[in-house]
Amino acid sequence: ESHGLPIECDYGEEESLRVTKKRAEMAMEIATPQFLVGFKCPADAAGEELFRQSLVGERACDILLGDSSPLYMRLYDEGLINGSFGGDFDQLPGAAYLYAGGECKEPERVARAIMDEAARLGREGVDETFYQQIRRANFGASLRSLGSFENVAVGMADGCFRGFDPYRFPEVYDSITKADIEAFLQENVVEERRAISRLTPKSEAGA
């Protein structure tokens, strides 16, 4: 039985790691200033390596920005961020990026702190106890997701379209090392790959 010709997707030219616009700002009807900072990451992986890159990026994000990370606690204690702050790693066809944002009156200061902490972790290394804590939490979250029909369906579809087996996550998890995380942060969370967007209240912009 014929199901028709395969559909070829054309996503245009390969995404460059060069940032074309470093800053953007817009005034909106909001009560508190908000920001989003993003860092371009390589997007040339495919198949299981793409899956592995996703897990490396997510774990690196939790270590750098998670609500139990030293950076998060320090910025929170200094009043630079609040509970709205968060970040993640995401992949699109031909593009990958780590991002963070939330309500903030000093986004440049927070963005600089994120880059400084990434450089420190790459240089000095991630604390082993904290690394193992995040590693176990990530693996536990993946196991729990198997109890959700929606998560299983999304994972199977994602693996089918991107060429990997989502049920190999235990083996892929075991292949990731602390050095992988440190190298990811040191190479990607840097000024030349950064772009920042800020939303300000219209009342501020007109003041």
Side-chain angles (χ1 to χ4, degrees), residues 101-123:
E103 296 178 351
C104 179
K105 293 184 177 180
E106 298 185 66
E108 285 289 349
R109 187 174 169 188
V110 173
R112 173 52 57 187
I114 290 172
M115 290 186 292
D116 289 346
E117 179 68 357
R120 184 192 71 80
L121 292 172
R123 183 177 63 252

Side-chain angles (χ1 to χ4, degrees), residues 58-122:
E58 290 169 5
R59 191 178 300 178
C61 195
D62 287 341
I63 286 170
L64 177 64
L65 304 166
D67 56 14
S68 62
S69 69
L71 175 66
Y72 184 101
M73 291 187 284
R74 185 170 73 250
L75 294 176
Y76 191 92
D77 288 343
E78 293 176 4
L80 291 171
I81 62 172
N82 57 26
S84 71
F85 180 81
D88 205 350
F89 175 76
D90 203 1
Q91 295 169 314
L92 298 170
Y97 55 95
L98 182 149
Y99 66 92
E103 296 178 351
C104 179
K105 293 184 177 180
E106 298 185 66
E108 285 289 349
R109 187 174 169 188
V110 173
R112 173 52 57 187
I114 290 172
M115 290 186 292
D116 289 346
E117 179 68 357
R120 184 192 71 80
L121 292 172

Side-chain angles (χ1 to χ4, degrees), residues 14-15 17 41-46 50 53 91-96:
E14 183 177 340
E15 182 74 18
L17 289 175
C41 304
D44 53 359
L50 180 71
Q53 182 193 54
Q91 295 169 314
L92 298 170

Side-chain angles (χ1 to χ4, degrees), residues 15-23 37-42 96 98 108 111-112 115-116 118-119 183-196:
E15 182 74 18
S16 167
L17 289 175
R18 183 175 61 87
V19 176
T20 57
K21 187 174 183 179
K22 299 284 289 181
R23 289 173 178 80
V37 60
F39 300 89
K40 278 189 168 185
C41 304
L98 182 149
E108 285 289 349
R112 173 52 57 187
M115 290 186 292
D116 289 346
F184 178 91
L185 291 171
Q186 191 170 44
E187 293 168 9
N188 295 302
V189 187
V190 292
E191 177 62 38
E192 54 266 31
R193 296 190 186 178
R194 183 190 81 152
I196 188 167

Side-chain angles (χ1 to χ4, degrees), residues 166-188:
Y167 294 115
R168 276 187 47 79
F169 74 85
E171 293 87 349
V172 179
Y173 262 86
D174 284 345
S175 76
I176 298 171
T177 67
K178 190 160 72 76
D180 290 328
I181 306 301
E182 292 160 354
F184 178 91
L185 291 171
Q186 191 170 44
E187 293 168 9
N188 295 302

Side-chain angles (χ1 to χ4, degrees), residues 26-32 34 198-205:
M26 182 181 295
M28 297 185 69
E29 296 290 354
I30 54 175
T32 307
Q34 300 178 24
R198 185 184 182 193
L199 298 179
T200 59
K202 279 193 172 180
S203 56
E204 277 190 20

